[in-house]
Amino acid sequence: MKPGEYDVILEPDAVHELLSFLGHLGFHGLAFQEGRSFFCNRLGERMVDEQVTIYDDGMDPEGLQVPFDFEGVPKQKVIFFEEGVARSVTHDSFTAGRSGVRSTGHALIPRTPKALFP
């Protein structure tokens, strides 16, 4: 194929992989705080096409319903892109405390040091 713009239709597994990758790179508060997020210094700015809205809602009946995170905090709806504009990142209790905001209920499974449990 020649370089250019093409319409692409992705299967659900491909969309899942893409969004998971984006989540680790930019949607999480820790990446944002450490300056690794593509959202750094860009919240409120149009970053993608205006047709793009991406959010996480643990109570959306059409998605994977997860009402709370691994810290037991109720999940909040978080809008990452709204009509192409960068809006927000997720927070667990650690990143929320560092930012002076409330957790959005997005704590992941804690990692156990191998030295404690070989």
Side-chain angles (χ1 to χ4, degrees):
M1 293 178 69
K2 293 181 181 180
E5 290 188 23
Y6 297 91
D7 290 333
V8 177
I9 298 173
L10 301 174
E11 292 190 17
D13 285 345
V15 173
H16 176 267
E17 190 68 24
L18 178 65
L19 290 176
S20 293
F21 189 66
L22 288 174
H24 292 293
L25 288 178
F27 294 158
H28 194 270
L30 186 60
F32 187 78
Q33 291 171 351
E34 292 178 345
R36 298 181 286 115
S37 170
F38 46 79
F39 275 1
C40 290
N41 301 315
R42 300 193 73 186
L43 293 179
E45 180 182 323
R46 180 172 311 284
M47 293 182 65
V48 295
D49 191 274
E50 65 186 19
Q51 295 181 49
V52 176
T53 295
I54 300 175
Y55 63 89
D56 180 33
D57 183 354
M59 298 306 293
D60 186 337
E62 295 197 24
L64 177 62
Q65 292 183 356
V66 182
F68 53 87
D69 69 5
F70 285 96
E71 295 176 330
V73 177
K75 271 193 139 183
Q76 305 298 313
K77 180 177 180 177
V78 178
I79 300 172
F80 305 116
F81 289 110
E82 182 178 38
E83 296 179 356
V85 177
R87 291 293 180 206
S88 190
V89 296
T90 62
H91 286 285
D92 54 23
S93 61
F94 175 71
T95 62
R98 285 175 55 172
S99 292
V101 298
R102 295 184 67 149
S103 172
T104 59
H106 287 81
L108 303 174
I109 298 172
R111 295 184 183 190
T112 305
K114 290 183 181 181
L116 295 176
F117 299 96

